[in-house]
Amino acid sequence: MKQFGELFQTDDWRKEKHVPVIECPDQVRTDELFSVKVTLGKEIAHPNTIEHHIRWISVYFQPEDEQFTHQVGHFDFCAHGESTKGANQGSTYTNHEVSFSLKVSKPGDIYATALCNIHGLWQSEKELNVS
Ligand SMILES: [Fe+2]
């Protein structure tokens, strides 16, 4: 049996549309808020239909000298064109993009995970330096 972590796939986001792209400064100041944006399909668009869409993105922070991981946020994408008229006939589609602010007091790694309803779990990471 695989460990749960082994179920997460990753690749170069420029070639693989499922890999979360984490956009934030490489270097931040201690306890000062900074903006983070996580998207999918930045280079190659991912579909957003009832049959094929991104369900959620979750973001975590792992301080470099701590044992345990902190969950930063979980973002569900719930509208994919549902309608009484039929599949993909609805007026509302949630785009798989999240922006939020964060502050940390230590350097570490930001992890973004995402679930595609048919292509499973994906992850990426970004090192964060703190001064
Ligand atoms: Fe997919």
Side-chain angles (χ1 to χ4, degrees):
M1 179 186 293
K2 288 183 178 178
Q3 294 290 309
F4 185 60
E6 295 177 294
L7 304 179
F8 286 82
Q9 307 165 80
T10 193
D11 205 330
D12 182 347
W13 63 264
R14 292 168 196 85
K15 295 184 290 186
E16 170 51 62
K17 63 180 176 282
H18 290 93
V19 179
V21 180
I22 304 167
E23 295 178 75
C24 69
D26 297 331
Q27 176 96 30
V28 298
R29 299 178 71 91
T30 301
D31 292 325
E32 197 168 283
L33 285 170
F34 60 95
S35 296
V36 181
K37 184 166 120 178
V38 182
T39 59
L40 276 92
K42 189 175 177 190
E43 190 72 27
I44 307 164
H46 187 281
N48 189 8
T49 63
I50 289 173
E51 297 85 1
H52 188 189
H53 57 262
I54 302 300
R55 288 261 171 87
W56 51 253
I57 291 174
S58 267
V59 182
Y60 302 87
F61 183 65
Q62 177 64 53
E64 69 178 9
D65 63 349
E66 292 185 15
Q67 180 181 357
F68 301 114
T69 309
H70 300 276
Q71 183 176 23
V72 173
H74 179 80
F75 311 92
D76 287 316
F77 307 115
C78 299
H80 306 283
E82 296 85 348
S83 171
T84 56
K85 296 175 189 158
N88 303 307
Q89 301 300 307
S91 61
T92 309
Y93 292 81
T94 319
N95 188 40
H96 35 263
E97 173 182 316
V98 295
S99 296
F100 55 92
S101 60
L102 178 68
K103 66 178 182 179
V104 298
S105 61
K106 298 176 176 181
D109 297 313
I110 296 175
Y111 290 87
T113 60
L115 177 70
C116 169
N117 70 319
I118 58 175
H119 295 114
L121 295 161
W122 293 82
Q123 73 170 56
S124 64
E125 56 285 320
K126 179 180 170 73
E127 188 178 326
L128 189 65
N129 295 303
V130 177
S131 60

